[in-house]
């Protein structure tokens, strides 16, 4: 046997070399796919299957069909949680976006001074974690000795029990969330304002438009896609409300701050009804998907 024959026998076939070259990139991607299957796709599929079972986490799951979803539909406490979440979302989304847009317009104006300091000041709450912000506001809202009631008392105004009155507790959550998210959405709107060509506004001013007319008839219509994005994103986040009401009120008093996510948490981790909690999670997912579809439809309509 010649040396050439021995070399040809030792070297892999051409198809094997091609296969190895094609396999190498997937080997580098394998950790991502393994992690995705183990911690994302796998749990998503498993929770969907468990939503049709009675599973307590220890004993074997028992298939119950759509009983969990029927229980959700017939549970008044779930509808109370949905109503609280809807009320919170409506007030929070409206006030947040109006205030953020007003702040962004002020930051974009020429008459406002110390803009950089104001930007930093309004954006700092975004960097604070949700739990830390809730703990801070627990002291602010404390009955009788809280900072907010001290200020109201000094002004001669009523001092409500922010965290103990069922009629007021939800408003404390709204105030906290707006305080934390205002700077974030103001930055989004400010970026949208900066993207509007300055010559458009200048042409409107040269035509004799007053500042409020430029804002109403020129700036806001051009900013509609950004406004829609802010409204839909804040709506999705409103549906996922959990940290603040759980830290401040645990969903009380009298379930006045009970949200869908708190309802889910209690079912899964307090009552250990994991199958039922999985069903609640998919109802919440459905609501979020509906909101995302609305976002896509509205933005698509604006881009036509």
């Amino acid at each position: 046997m010649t040396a050439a024959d021995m070399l040809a026998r030792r070297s892999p076939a051409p198809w094997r070399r091609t296969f190895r070259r094609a396999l190498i990139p997937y080997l580098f991607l394998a950790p991502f796919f393994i992690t995705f299957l183990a911690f994302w796709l796998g749990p998503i599929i498993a929770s969907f299957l468990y939503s049709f079972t009675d599973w307590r986490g220890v004993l074997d799951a028992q298939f119950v069909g759509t009983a969990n979803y029927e229980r959700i539909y017939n549970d008044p406490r779930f509808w109370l949680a949905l109503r609280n979440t809807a009320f919170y979302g409506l007030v929070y989304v409206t006030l947040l976006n109006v205030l953020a847009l007003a702040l962004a317009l002020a930051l974009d104006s020429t008459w406002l001074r110390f803009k950089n300091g104001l930007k930093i000041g309004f954006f700092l709450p975004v960097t604070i974690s949700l739990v830390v912000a809730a703990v801070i506001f627990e002291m602010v809202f404390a009955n009788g000795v809280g900072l907010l009631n001290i200020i109201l008392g000094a002004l001669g105004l009523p001092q409500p029990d922010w965290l103990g009155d069922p009629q007021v507790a939800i408003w404390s959550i709204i105030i906290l969330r707006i305080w934390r998210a205002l700077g974030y959405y103001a930055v989004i709107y400010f970026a949208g304002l900066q993207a509007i060509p300055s010559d458009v506004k200048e042409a409107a001013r040269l035509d004799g438009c007053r500042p409020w007319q430029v804002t109403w008839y020129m700036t806001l219509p051009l900013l509609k896609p950004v406004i829609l994005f802010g409204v839909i994103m804040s709506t999705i986040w409103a549906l996922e409300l959990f940290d603040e009401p759980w830290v401040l009120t645990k969903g009380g008093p009298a379930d006045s701050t009970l949200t869908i996510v708190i309802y889910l948490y209690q079912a899964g981790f307090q009552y250990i009804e994991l199958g039922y909690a999985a069903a609640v999670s998919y109802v919440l997912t459905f609501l979020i998907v509906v909101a995302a579809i609305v976002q896509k439809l509205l933005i698509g309509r604006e881009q036509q």
Side-chain angles (χ1 to χ4, degrees):
M1 180 179 296
T2 63
D5 293 337
M6 295 178 62
L7 182 62
R9 177 172 295 183
R10 291 180 180 178
S11 61
W15 68 270
R16 291 184 179 178
R17 291 197 298 269
T18 304
F19 176 75
R20 290 177 181 176
R21 293 194 189 100
L23 183 62
I24 289 175
Y26 293 98
L27 292 177
F28 284 104
L29 293 174
F32 165 77
F33 285 111
I34 294 173
T35 304
F36 177 77
L37 291 174
F39 297 102
W40 288 89
L41 185 60
I44 289 173
I45 297 174
S47 62
F48 179 73
L49 297 176
Y50 280 127
S51 69
F52 296 99
T53 65
D54 179 13
W55 184 45
R56 302 282 175 165
V58 179
L59 302 177
D60 293 336
Q62 298 179 357
F63 180 76
V64 294
T66 59
N68 288 329
Y69 294 94
E70 294 173 3
R71 177 182 168 188
I72 293 172
Y73 180 78
N74 295 318
D75 188 357
R77 198 162 179 264
F78 169 79
W79 293 106
L80 175 60
L82 181 60
R83 184 165 63 249
N84 290 341
T85 305
F87 174 79
Y88 158 80
L90 179 63
V91 177
Y92 165 76
V93 170
T94 302
L95 292 179
L96 173 63
N97 286 279
V98 169
L99 293 175
L101 181 58
L103 178 60
L105 289 171
L107 293 174
D108 190 53
S109 64
T110 56
W111 54 267
L112 187 66
R113 297 179 178 272
F114 308 109
K115 293 183 179 180
N116 292 332
L118 290 174
K119 291 176 187 177
I120 295 173
F122 280 104
F123 193 79
L124 276 178
V126 181
T127 63
I128 302 175
S129 69
L130 294 174
V131 175
V132 172
V135 171
I136 293 173
F137 270 78
E138 187 175 13
M139 296 182 287
V140 172
F141 290 130
N143 188 27
V145 296
L147 177 61
L148 185 55
N149 276 348
I150 292 175
I151 295 174
L152 293 175
L155 297 175
L157 298 175
Q159 304 176 45
D161 186 0
W162 291 98
L163 302 179
D165 187 348
Q167 302 297 326
V168 181
I170 190 66
W171 290 98
S172 65
I173 306 300
I174 293 172
I175 292 172
L176 168 55
R177 285 298 292 258
I178 291 177
W179 171 82
R180 188 176 182 277
L182 180 61
Y184 177 79
Y185 284 91
V187 168
I188 293 176
Y189 289 139
F190 181 75
L193 291 171
Q194 293 294 301
I196 297 176
S198 58
D199 54 354
V200 175
K201 301 178 184 178
E202 188 63 28
R205 295 190 185 97
L206 292 176
D207 288 339
C209 294
R210 297 181 178 180
W212 70 269
Q213 292 175 321
V214 175
T215 301
W216 186 260
Y217 294 107
M218 299 295 298
T219 304
L220 293 183
L222 292 174
L223 201 63
K224 275 186 178 180
V226 182
I227 294 175
L228 288 173
F229 173 80
V231 169
I232 299 302
M233 289 303 298
S234 57
T235 301
I236 294 175
W237 286 8
L239 292 173
E240 299 174 348
L241 176 66
F242 173 77
D243 299 76
E244 295 90 338
W246 183 253
V247 174
L248 291 177
T249 63
K250 295 294 188 294
D255 285 343
S256 60
T257 59
L258 179 68
T259 65
I260 297 179
V261 181
I262 291 179
Y263 179 83
L264 186 158
Y265 175 83
Q266 290 177 340
F269 294 96
Q270 289 188 341
Y271 308 132
I272 317 299
E273 297 178 332
L274 300 180
Y276 182 70
V280 176
S281 71
Y282 271 90
V283 172
L284 176 60
T285 301
F286 172 77
L287 296 175
I288 295 175
V289 169
V290 169
I293 292 175
V294 172
Q295 175 191 13
K296 182 178 180 180
L297 292 176
L298 291 175
I299 293 179
R301 186 179 303 172
E302 288 293 328
Q303 294 176 347
Q304 288 179 355

